[in-house]
Amino acid sequence: MKIMSKEEQRLSLQSDLDAQKSISDRRKFGQFATPTELANEVVSFGLDILNSNTVRFLDPALGTGSFFSALTNHADSTIIEKATGIEIDSHYAIPAQELWRNTVLDIAIGDFTVLPPKRKFNFVICNPPYVRHHLIEDKERIKTRTKQFSGVELSGLAGLYCHFLLQSIAWMENDGIAGWLIPSEFMDVNYGSMVKSFLLNNVELLQIHRYDPNDVQFDDALVSSAVVWFRNRKPKGNPSVKFTYGGRLSAPNIVRLVPVSELQKESKWTRFPLQTVRTHNESSAVLGDFFLVKRGIATGNNNFFILEKDKIREFDLPHEVFRPVLPNSRNLPSDEILADDSGNPLLSRELFLLDCKLPEHEVKMRYPTLWDYLLKGKESVAKGYLCQSRKCWYYQEQREAPLFICTYMGRERNESGTSFRFILNHSTATVTNCYLALYPKGIMKEFLKRYPHELQNVWGIMNRVDSQSFIDEGRVYGGGLRKVEPKELMRVPVPEMDSLIRSNRGDVSFKTDKAIQLNMFG
Ligand SMILES: C[S@@+](CC[C@H](N)C(=O)[O-])C[C@H]1O[C@@H](n2cnc3c(N)ncnc32)[C@H](O)[C@@H]1O
């Protein structure tokens, strides 16, 4: 009989333990193990940077110990002076203790954000739990501890992995090396700015490697991953940081040394190493000069609040509490939504949003059938996160029907080379949060009022925005999924729009002359 190696035993244990839990339970604690090959790559790369004949190893989120296993693979046992793993969930921690019995690994069952940092380590390797901010229990306590350990006050929107990274500093020896396998999201989003400033100012940031999002590293958690390497010592005025992309850590496809001065200026670090700092041409018009962009309505439960016409009839619900809403873009036959005389979209699939502003006692009195329908959701839908946070659980956000709609997520590029589309909406239908809603404002509102025949040209310009502009402003997730947020969409340049307006109004550039801009339609 073939004797299983320790790593084979660990893998088999990992898959048994994973199988005993539901995916939603595993998500709660970010329980997605690092594949063997990736763990080996990270550890052997880190050992090269550490370049020491004694290793004091810490994994603050151990799981079953994929990184420790890789360590035993790449470092002679005589140099591993001590090794500690912390794991909150005894479901993984107890079998791991059994597996690693008789080795140097000491497993503490507990919460990394609670245990006091009594010992220090020179080699911290971690794939921390990826738990989004709204699911972090005890957020205020964790924030306070992060501040106490690192001096950094993280935004309430930061995921748990940011707190792990910052708190780990209290467990590190001076000159110790840390390698963090984390989602690359922090490199672009607002809540990541404090993490980036910590990496630039408090420690010596050595390298950030980003895996190609099309080459998803994890089978079961779709994240676009990066490995951040730093040394625990004050930066000594290093001129640059190594940014690498694609391929493997030790053999990346692209390498660039990015000057720290550029990193300080640029808020989107995922530009590196593929591109350089964005050069903002202040005189170039951006979508936000013409449109207010808002995310569509988050209903709290589309299945409950959005009904087909037949269903409204079947339940005999009052029409006056419904308003038309567009189906998702896959169900739109064309990018131009035409409307009937009452403003309803001319679509084969007619959907309506339950948008009732009456309190419960009035609904009960005036609309008994609607009351019966609401009762169906009272024990389930009403208990959802969003519904619970409302004054009355079925009150919807108010969003006018937008003139333009943008599909803001896309994986593949379509034939026109972009994963984003603009839809022209002539109807009174509103949209849900699978779209971004664009409302003409200021100069554009006036322009369209005066020159309604230019509507198609305005739309044409929007659809000609090149995909790189979206990519520059937006973000990329695992599997190559691209996304753009309302504020990011407002920063997308549309120089042609300026020319269109000028061509109707003579040679007037509203951007270059604010005074003319204000008086242009006066
Ligand atoms: C992404 S997994 C990584 C596991 C393992 N190190 C690996 O790479 O395969 C994160 C682990 O952290 C554990 N965890 C979650 N919250 C924790 C906490 N507050 N303290 C310690 N461990 C935690 C989870 O149970 C999970 O096993």
PDB file of all heavy atoms in Angstrom, residues 190-221:
ATOM      1  N   ASN A 190     -11.623  52.726  -2.168  1.00  0.00           N
ATOM      2  CA  ASN A 190     -11.348  53.756  -1.158  1.00  0.00           C
ATOM      3  C   ASN A 190     -10.885  53.174   0.165  1.00  0.00           C
ATOM      4  O   ASN A 190      -9.961  53.691   0.779  1.00  0.00           O
ATOM      5  CB  ASN A 190     -12.605  54.589  -0.905  1.00  0.00           C
ATOM      6  CG  ASN A 190     -12.865  55.490  -2.078  1.00  0.00           C
ATOM      7  OD1 ASN A 190     -11.956  55.710  -2.884  1.00  0.00           O
ATOM      8  ND2 ASN A 190     -14.073  55.989  -2.199  1.00  0.00           N
ATOM      9  N   TYR A 191     -11.522  52.087   0.605  1.00  0.00           N
ATOM     10  CA  TYR A 191     -11.153  51.585   1.931  1.00  0.00           C
ATOM     11  C   TYR A 191      -9.721  51.066   1.958  1.00  0.00           C
ATOM     12  O   TYR A 191      -9.128  50.909   3.027  1.00  0.00           O
ATOM     13  CB  TYR A 191     -12.151  50.524   2.434  1.00  0.00           C
ATOM     14  CG  TYR A 191     -12.066  49.153   1.803  1.00  0.00           C
ATOM     15  CD1 TYR A 191     -10.967  48.336   2.035  1.00  0.00           C
ATOM     16  CD2 TYR A 191     -13.084  48.661   1.003  1.00  0.00           C
ATOM     17  CE1 TYR A 191     -10.890  47.075   1.464  1.00  0.00           C
ATOM     18  CE2 TYR A 191     -13.016  47.404   0.437  1.00  0.00           C
ATOM     19  CZ  TYR A 191     -11.914  46.618   0.673  1.00  0.00           C
ATOM     20  OH  TYR A 191     -11.828  45.376   0.113  1.00  0.00           O
ATOM     21  N   GLY A 192      -9.154  50.826   0.781  1.00  0.00           N
ATOM     22  CA  GLY A 192      -7.787  50.311   0.718  1.00  0.00           C
ATOM     23  C   GLY A 192      -6.739  51.406   0.854  1.00  0.00           C
ATOM     24  O   GLY A 192      -5.552  51.123   1.047  1.00  0.00           O
ATOM     25  N   SER A 193      -7.161  52.679   0.792  1.00  0.00           N
ATOM     26  CA  SER A 193      -6.155  53.745   0.760  1.00  0.00           C
ATOM     27  C   SER A 193      -5.300  53.750   2.034  1.00  0.00           C
ATOM     28  O   SER A 193      -4.099  54.006   1.977  1.00  0.00           O
ATOM     29  CB  SER A 193      -6.824  55.104   0.545  1.00  0.00           C
ATOM     30  OG  SER A 193      -7.628  55.373   1.657  1.00  0.00           O
ATOM     31  N   MET A 194      -5.907  53.423   3.181  1.00  0.00           N
ATOM     32  CA  MET A 194      -5.142  53.425   4.428  1.00  0.00           C
ATOM     33  C   MET A 194      -4.165  52.243   4.474  1.00  0.00           C
ATOM     34  O   MET A 194      -3.098  52.323   5.075  1.00  0.00           O
ATOM     35  CB  MET A 194      -6.076  53.357   5.645  1.00  0.00           C
ATOM     36  CG  MET A 194      -6.919  54.591   5.844  1.00  0.00           C
ATOM     37  SD  MET A 194      -5.954  56.091   5.828  1.00  0.00           S
ATOM     38  CE  MET A 194      -5.147  55.965   7.400  1.00  0.00           C
ATOM     39  N   VAL A 195      -4.564  51.136   3.856  1.00  0.00           N
ATOM     40  CA  VAL A 195      -3.666  49.980   3.804  1.00  0.00           C
ATOM     41  C   VAL A 195      -2.461  50.339   2.929  1.00  0.00           C
ATOM     42  O   VAL A 195      -1.306  50.070   3.281  1.00  0.00           O
ATOM     43  CB  VAL A 195      -4.394  48.737   3.215  1.00  0.00           C
ATOM     44  CG1 VAL A 195      -3.465  47.542   3.142  1.00  0.00           C
ATOM     45  CG2 VAL A 195      -5.643  48.407   4.035  1.00  0.00           C
ATOM     46  N   LYS A 196      -2.734  51.009   1.823  1.00  0.00           N
ATOM     47  CA  LYS A 196      -1.649  51.381   0.915  1.00  0.00           C
ATOM     48  C   LYS A 196      -0.713  52.383   1.577  1.00  0.00           C
ATOM     49  O   LYS A 196       0.504  52.295   1.443  1.00  0.00           O
ATOM     50  CB  LYS A 196      -2.230  51.944  -0.387  1.00  0.00           C
ATOM     51  CG  LYS A 196      -2.841  50.865  -1.246  1.00  0.00           C
ATOM     52  CD  LYS A 196      -3.322  51.380  -2.580  1.00  0.00           C
ATOM     53  CE  LYS A 196      -4.639  52.072  -2.444  1.00  0.00           C
ATOM     54  NZ  LYS A 196      -5.201  52.483  -3.736  1.00  0.00           N
ATOM     55  N   SER A 197      -1.309  53.310   2.312  1.00  0.00           N
ATOM     56  CA  SER A 197      -0.454  54.302   2.960  1.00  0.00           C
ATOM     57  C   SER A 197       0.408  53.621   4.039  1.00  0.00           C
ATOM     58  O   SER A 197       1.592  53.942   4.195  1.00  0.00           O
ATOM     59  CB  SER A 197      -1.334  55.439   3.472  1.00  0.00           C
ATOM     60  OG  SER A 197      -1.012  55.784   4.750  1.00  0.00           O
ATOM     61  N   PHE A 198      -0.162  52.625   4.733  1.00  0.00           N
ATOM     62  CA  PHE A 198       0.624  51.857   5.711  1.00  0.00           C
ATOM     63  C   PHE A 198       1.782  51.150   4.997  1.00  0.00           C
ATOM     64  O   PHE A 198       2.933  51.184   5.464  1.00  0.00           O
ATOM     65  CB  PHE A 198      -0.302  50.822   6.387  1.00  0.00           C
ATOM     66  CG  PHE A 198       0.413  49.821   7.251  1.00  0.00           C
ATOM     67  CD1 PHE A 198       0.690  50.101   8.587  1.00  0.00           C
ATOM     68  CD2 PHE A 198       0.819  48.590   6.745  1.00  0.00           C
ATOM     69  CE1 PHE A 198       1.351  49.174   9.389  1.00  0.00           C
ATOM     70  CE2 PHE A 198       1.476  47.663   7.532  1.00  0.00           C
ATOM     71  CZ  PHE A 198       1.753  47.963   8.861  1.00  0.00           C
ATOM     72  N   LEU A 199       1.489  50.541   3.863  1.00  0.00           N
ATOM     73  CA  LEU A 199       2.524  49.789   3.153  1.00  0.00           C
ATOM     74  C   LEU A 199       3.648  50.708   2.653  1.00  0.00           C
ATOM     75  O   LEU A 199       4.805  50.305   2.574  1.00  0.00           O
ATOM     76  CB  LEU A 199       1.917  49.023   1.971  1.00  0.00           C
ATOM     77  CG  LEU A 199       0.984  47.858   2.343  1.00  0.00           C
ATOM     78  CD1 LEU A 199       0.298  47.295   1.106  1.00  0.00           C
ATOM     79  CD2 LEU A 199       1.755  46.745   3.064  1.00  0.00           C
ATOM     80  N   LEU A 200       3.289  51.949   2.346  1.00  0.00           N
ATOM     81  CA  LEU A 200       4.315  52.876   1.842  1.00  0.00           C
ATOM     82  C   LEU A 200       5.084  53.562   2.973  1.00  0.00           C
ATOM     83  O   LEU A 200       6.264  53.857   2.821  1.00  0.00           O
ATOM     84  CB  LEU A 200       3.678  53.963   0.958  1.00  0.00           C
ATOM     85  CG  LEU A 200       3.159  53.529  -0.407  1.00  0.00           C
ATOM     86  CD1 LEU A 200       2.604  54.732  -1.158  1.00  0.00           C
ATOM     87  CD2 LEU A 200       4.277  52.891  -1.245  1.00  0.00           C
ATOM     88  N   ASN A 201       4.396  53.798   4.094  1.00  0.00           N
ATOM     89  CA  ASN A 201       5.017  54.639   5.121  1.00  0.00           C
ATOM     90  C   ASN A 201       5.500  53.907   6.371  1.00  0.00           C
ATOM     91  O   ASN A 201       6.401  54.378   7.046  1.00  0.00           O
ATOM     92  CB  ASN A 201       4.042  55.745   5.550  1.00  0.00           C
ATOM     93  CG  ASN A 201       3.650  56.589   4.367  1.00  0.00           C
ATOM     94  OD1 ASN A 201       4.506  56.959   3.566  1.00  0.00           O
ATOM     95  ND2 ASN A 201       2.365  56.855   4.210  1.00  0.00           N
ATOM     96  N   ASN A 202       4.859  52.781   6.700  1.00  0.00           N
ATOM     97  CA  ASN A 202       5.199  52.141   7.982  1.00  0.00           C
ATOM     98  C   ASN A 202       6.137  50.950   7.833  1.00  0.00           C
ATOM     99  O   ASN A 202       6.771  50.550   8.803  1.00  0.00           O
ATOM    100  CB  ASN A 202       3.941  51.654   8.698  1.00  0.00           C
ATOM    101  CG  ASN A 202       3.016  52.796   9.047  1.00  0.00           C
ATOM    102  OD1 ASN A 202       2.927  53.770   8.308  1.00  0.00           O
ATOM    103  ND2 ASN A 202       2.338  52.707  10.175  1.00  0.00           N
ATOM    104  N   VAL A 203       6.129  50.326   6.667  1.00  0.00           N
ATOM    105  CA  VAL A 203       6.977  49.147   6.459  1.00  0.00           C
ATOM    106  C   VAL A 203       7.704  49.292   5.117  1.00  0.00           C
ATOM    107  O   VAL A 203       7.439  50.232   4.373  1.00  0.00           O
ATOM    108  CB  VAL A 203       6.133  47.839   6.448  1.00  0.00           C
ATOM    109  CG1 VAL A 203       5.560  47.542   7.812  1.00  0.00           C
ATOM    110  CG2 VAL A 203       5.040  47.897   5.400  1.00  0.00           C
ATOM    111  N   GLU A 204       8.575  48.333   4.851  1.00  0.00           N
ATOM    112  CA  GLU A 204       9.279  48.393   3.571  1.00  0.00           C
ATOM    113  C   GLU A 204       8.538  47.487   2.587  1.00  0.00           C
ATOM    114  O   GLU A 204       8.641  46.258   2.660  1.00  0.00           O
ATOM    115  CB  GLU A 204      10.704  47.893   3.790  1.00  0.00           C
ATOM    116  CG  GLU A 204      11.632  48.221   2.662  1.00  0.00           C
ATOM    117  CD  GLU A 204      13.062  47.779   3.029  1.00  0.00           C
ATOM    118  OE1 GLU A 204      13.672  48.417   3.901  1.00  0.00           O
ATOM    119  OE2 GLU A 204      13.518  46.774   2.457  1.00  0.00           O
ATOM    120  N   LEU A 205       7.763  48.112   1.734  1.00  0.00           N
ATOM    121  CA  LEU A 205       6.989  47.338   0.755  1.00  0.00           C
ATOM    122  C   LEU A 205       7.948  46.832  -0.324  1.00  0.00           C
ATOM    123  O   LEU A 205       8.627  47.621  -0.979  1.00  0.00           O
ATOM    124  CB  LEU A 205       5.898  48.235   0.149  1.00  0.00           C
ATOM    125  CG  LEU A 205       5.025  47.601  -0.924  1.00  0.00           C
ATOM    126  CD1 LEU A 205       4.301  46.363  -0.411  1.00  0.00           C
ATOM    127  CD2 LEU A 205       3.995  48.615  -1.448  1.00  0.00           C
ATOM    128  N   LEU A 206       8.010  45.508  -0.475  1.00  0.00           N
ATOM    129  CA  LEU A 206       9.008  44.949  -1.378  1.00  0.00           C
ATOM    130  C   LEU A 206       8.424  44.643  -2.756  1.00  0.00           C
ATOM    131  O   LEU A 206       9.006  44.964  -3.778  1.00  0.00           O
ATOM    132  CB  LEU A 206       9.574  43.650  -0.783  1.00  0.00           C
ATOM    133  CG  LEU A 206      10.209  43.768   0.604  1.00  0.00           C
ATOM    134  CD1 LEU A 206      10.504  42.395   1.172  1.00  0.00           C
ATOM    135  CD2 LEU A 206      11.482  44.603   0.521  1.00  0.00           C
ATOM    136  N   GLN A 207       7.258  43.995  -2.743  1.00  0.00           N
ATOM    137  CA  GLN A 207       6.722  43.555  -4.030  1.00  0.00           C
ATOM    138  C   GLN A 207       5.229  43.310  -3.922  1.00  0.00           C
ATOM    139  O   GLN A 207       4.729  42.866  -2.883  1.00  0.00           O
ATOM    140  CB  GLN A 207       7.419  42.247  -4.446  1.00  0.00           C
ATOM    141  CG  GLN A 207       6.924  41.719  -5.781  1.00  0.00           C
ATOM    142  CD  GLN A 207       7.724  40.533  -6.306  1.00  0.00           C
ATOM    143  OE1 GLN A 207       8.751  40.174  -5.735  1.00  0.00           O
ATOM    144  NE2 GLN A 207       7.265  39.931  -7.375  1.00  0.00           N
ATOM    145  N   ILE A 208       4.528  43.595  -5.009  1.00  0.00           N
ATOM    146  CA  ILE A 208       3.130  43.150  -5.113  1.00  0.00           C
ATOM    147  C   ILE A 208       3.005  42.388  -6.424  1.00  0.00           C
ATOM    148  O   ILE A 208       3.317  42.918  -7.498  1.00  0.00           O
ATOM    149  CB  ILE A 208       2.128  44.318  -5.086  1.00  0.00           C
ATOM    150  CG1 ILE A 208       2.246  45.085  -3.764  1.00  0.00           C
ATOM    151  CG2 ILE A 208       0.700  43.787  -5.266  1.00  0.00           C
ATOM    152  CD1 ILE A 208       1.206  46.159  -3.554  1.00  0.00           C
ATOM    153  N   HIS A 209       2.612  41.143  -6.271  1.00  0.00           N
ATOM    154  CA  HIS A 209       2.392  40.337  -7.461  1.00  0.00           C
ATOM    155  C   HIS A 209       0.899  40.151  -7.631  1.00  0.00           C
ATOM    156  O   HIS A 209       0.194  39.817  -6.690  1.00  0.00           O
ATOM    157  CB  HIS A 209       3.055  38.957  -7.323  1.00  0.00           C
ATOM    158  CG  HIS A 209       2.789  38.078  -8.519  1.00  0.00           C
ATOM    159  ND1 HIS A 209       3.513  38.168  -9.676  1.00  0.00           N
ATOM    160  CD2 HIS A 209       1.846  37.127  -8.730  1.00  0.00           C
ATOM    161  CE1 HIS A 209       3.040  37.297 -10.561  1.00  0.00           C
ATOM    162  NE2 HIS A 209       2.023  36.657 -10.004  1.00  0.00           N
ATOM    163  N   ARG A 210       0.421  40.364  -8.841  1.00  0.00           N
ATOM    164  CA  ARG A 210      -0.996  40.143  -9.092  1.00  0.00           C
ATOM    165  C   ARG A 210      -1.139  38.997 -10.070  1.00  0.00           C
ATOM    166  O   ARG A 210      -0.474  38.974 -11.105  1.00  0.00           O
ATOM    167  CB  ARG A 210      -1.606  41.412  -9.671  1.00  0.00           C
ATOM    168  CG  ARG A 210      -3.032  41.627  -9.245  1.00  0.00           C
ATOM    169  CD  ARG A 210      -3.368  43.103  -9.186  1.00  0.00           C
ATOM    170  NE  ARG A 210      -2.882  43.858 -10.301  1.00  0.00           N
ATOM    171  CZ  ARG A 210      -3.486  43.946 -11.483  1.00  0.00           C
ATOM    172  NH1 ARG A 210      -4.609  43.309 -11.717  1.00  0.00           N
ATOM    173  NH2 ARG A 210      -2.966  44.685 -12.445  1.00  0.00           N
ATOM    174  N   TYR A 211      -1.998  38.055  -9.704  1.00  0.00           N
ATOM    175  CA  TYR A 211      -2.244  36.954 -10.626  1.00  0.00           C
ATOM    176  C   TYR A 211      -3.179  37.448 -11.713  1.00  0.00           C
ATOM    177  O   TYR A 211      -3.999  38.341 -11.491  1.00  0.00           O
ATOM    178  CB  TYR A 211      -2.826  35.749  -9.877  1.00  0.00           C
ATOM    179  CG  TYR A 211      -1.787  35.098  -9.004  1.00  0.00           C
ATOM    180  CD1 TYR A 211      -1.684  35.401  -7.658  1.00  0.00           C
ATOM    181  CD2 TYR A 211      -0.849  34.232  -9.557  1.00  0.00           C
ATOM    182  CE1 TYR A 211      -0.702  34.835  -6.861  1.00  0.00           C
ATOM    183  CE2 TYR A 211       0.144  33.666  -8.771  1.00  0.00           C
ATOM    184  CZ  TYR A 211       0.209  33.976  -7.435  1.00  0.00           C
ATOM    185  OH  TYR A 211       1.196  33.421  -6.676  1.00  0.00           O
ATOM    186  N   ASP A 212      -3.067  36.867 -12.862  1.00  0.00           N
ATOM    187  CA  ASP A 212      -3.942  37.222 -13.970  1.00  0.00           C
ATOM    188  C   ASP A 212      -5.356  36.779 -13.602  1.00  0.00           C
ATOM    189  O   ASP A 212      -5.576  35.606 -13.295  1.00  0.00           O
ATOM    190  CB  ASP A 212      -3.429  36.467 -15.215  1.00  0.00           C
ATOM    191  CG  ASP A 212      -4.243  36.778 -16.443  1.00  0.00           C
ATOM    192  OD1 ASP A 212      -5.376  37.264 -16.294  1.00  0.00           O
ATOM    193  OD2 ASP A 212      -3.743  36.522 -17.544  1.00  0.00           O
ATOM    194  N   PRO A 213      -6.332  37.709 -13.585  1.00  0.00           N
ATOM    195  CA  PRO A 213      -7.683  37.318 -13.141  1.00  0.00           C
ATOM    196  C   PRO A 213      -8.310  36.230 -14.007  1.00  0.00           C
ATOM    197  O   PRO A 213      -9.246  35.560 -13.571  1.00  0.00           O
ATOM    198  CB  PRO A 213      -8.493  38.610 -13.210  1.00  0.00           C
ATOM    199  CG  PRO A 213      -7.635  39.637 -13.783  1.00  0.00           C
ATOM    200  CD  PRO A 213      -6.238  39.120 -13.919  1.00  0.00           C
ATOM    201  N   ASN A 214      -7.812  36.064 -15.219  1.00  0.00           N
ATOM    202  CA  ASN A 214      -8.381  34.988 -16.046  1.00  0.00           C
ATOM    203  C   ASN A 214      -7.847  33.633 -15.615  1.00  0.00           C
ATOM    204  O   ASN A 214      -8.347  32.592 -16.019  1.00  0.00           O
ATOM    205  CB  ASN A 214      -8.056  35.216 -17.517  1.00  0.00           C
ATOM    206  CG  ASN A 214      -8.732  36.468 -17.994  1.00  0.00           C
ATOM    207  OD1 ASN A 214      -9.906  36.685 -17.724  1.00  0.00           O
ATOM    208  ND2 ASN A 214      -7.966  37.330 -18.652  1.00  0.00           N
ATOM    209  N   ASP A 215      -6.798  33.681 -14.790  1.00  0.00           N
ATOM    210  CA  ASP A 215      -6.207  32.449 -14.315  1.00  0.00           C
ATOM    211  C   ASP A 215      -6.561  32.372 -12.823  1.00  0.00           C
ATOM    212  O   ASP A 215      -5.785  32.707 -11.970  1.00  0.00           O
ATOM    213  CB  ASP A 215      -4.690  32.573 -14.564  1.00  0.00           C
ATOM    214  CG  ASP A 215      -3.874  31.549 -13.808  1.00  0.00           C
ATOM    215  OD1 ASP A 215      -4.455  30.556 -13.361  1.00  0.00           O
ATOM    216  OD2 ASP A 215      -2.652  31.767 -13.659  1.00  0.00           O
ATOM    217  N   VAL A 216      -7.810  31.979 -12.557  1.00  0.00           N
ATOM    218  CA  VAL A 216      -8.310  32.036 -11.183  1.00  0.00           C
ATOM    219  C   VAL A 216      -7.542  31.044 -10.306  1.00  0.00           C
ATOM    220  O   VAL A 216      -7.395  29.880 -10.641  1.00  0.00           O
ATOM    221  CB  VAL A 216      -9.820  31.743 -11.153  1.00  0.00           C
ATOM    222  CG1 VAL A 216     -10.325  31.714  -9.727  1.00  0.00           C
ATOM    223  CG2 VAL A 216     -10.551  32.805 -11.938  1.00  0.00           C
ATOM    224  N   GLN A 217      -7.050  31.565  -9.185  1.00  0.00           N
ATOM    225  CA  GLN A 217      -6.195  30.747  -8.330  1.00  0.00           C
ATOM    226  C   GLN A 217      -6.977  29.782  -7.446  1.00  0.00           C
ATOM    227  O   GLN A 217      -6.471  28.775  -7.025  1.00  0.00           O
ATOM    228  CB  GLN A 217      -5.367  31.665  -7.424  1.00  0.00           C
ATOM    229  CG  GLN A 217      -4.422  32.551  -8.192  1.00  0.00           C
ATOM    230  CD  GLN A 217      -3.370  31.737  -8.903  1.00  0.00           C
ATOM    231  OE1 GLN A 217      -2.714  30.912  -8.299  1.00  0.00           O
ATOM    232  NE2 GLN A 217      -3.239  31.945 -10.196  1.00  0.00           N
ATOM    233  N   PHE A 218      -8.200  30.155  -7.133  1.00  0.00           N
ATOM    234  CA  PHE A 218      -8.976  29.333  -6.206  1.00  0.00           C
ATOM    235  C   PHE A 218     -10.137  28.721  -6.948  1.00  0.00           C
ATOM    236  O   PHE A 218     -10.788  29.385  -7.734  1.00  0.00           O
ATOM    237  CB  PHE A 218      -9.510  30.205  -5.071  1.00  0.00           C
ATOM    238  CG  PHE A 218      -8.415  30.881  -4.326  1.00  0.00           C
ATOM    239  CD1 PHE A 218      -7.954  32.116  -4.719  1.00  0.00           C
ATOM    240  CD2 PHE A 218      -7.817  30.262  -3.256  1.00  0.00           C
ATOM    241  CE1 PHE A 218      -6.923  32.731  -4.054  1.00  0.00           C
ATOM    242  CE2 PHE A 218      -6.786  30.869  -2.583  1.00  0.00           C
ATOM    243  CZ  PHE A 218      -6.343  32.105  -2.984  1.00  0.00           C
ATOM    244  N   ASP A 219     -10.420  27.461  -6.664  1.00  0.00           N
ATOM    245  CA  ASP A 219     -11.524  26.820  -7.358  1.00  0.00           C
ATOM    246  C   ASP A 219     -12.850  27.368  -6.843  1.00  0.00           C
ATOM    247  O   ASP A 219     -13.771  27.597  -7.575  1.00  0.00           O
ATOM    248  CB  ASP A 219     -11.512  25.311  -7.112  1.00  0.00           C
ATOM    249  CG  ASP A 219     -10.183  24.716  -7.526  1.00  0.00           C
ATOM    250  OD1 ASP A 219      -9.529  25.345  -8.367  1.00  0.00           O
ATOM    251  OD2 ASP A 219      -9.822  23.647  -6.992  1.00  0.00           O
ATOM    252  N   ASP A 220     -12.937  27.562  -5.515  1.00  0.00           N
ATOM    253  CA  ASP A 220     -14.256  27.831  -4.953  1.00  0.00           C
ATOM    254  C   ASP A 220     -14.474  29.253  -4.465  1.00  0.00           C
ATOM    255  O   ASP A 220     -15.542  29.595  -4.021  1.00  0.00           O
ATOM    256  CB  ASP A 220     -14.592  26.825  -3.840  1.00  0.00           C
ATOM    257  CG  ASP A 220     -13.390  26.468  -2.979  1.00  0.00           C
ATOM    258  OD1 ASP A 220     -12.362  27.151  -3.119  1.00  0.00           O
ATOM    259  OD2 ASP A 220     -13.492  25.527  -2.186  1.00  0.00           O
ATOM    260  N   ALA A 221     -13.490  30.093  -4.506  1.00  0.00           N
ATOM    261  CA  ALA A 221     -13.728  31.497  -4.139  1.00  0.00           C
ATOM    262  C   ALA A 221     -13.206  32.346  -5.280  1.00  0.00           C
ATOM    263  O   ALA A 221     -12.016  32.377  -5.537  1.00  0.00           O
ATOM    264  CB  ALA A 221     -12.994  31.847  -2.858  1.00  0.00           C
TER     265      ALA A 221
END
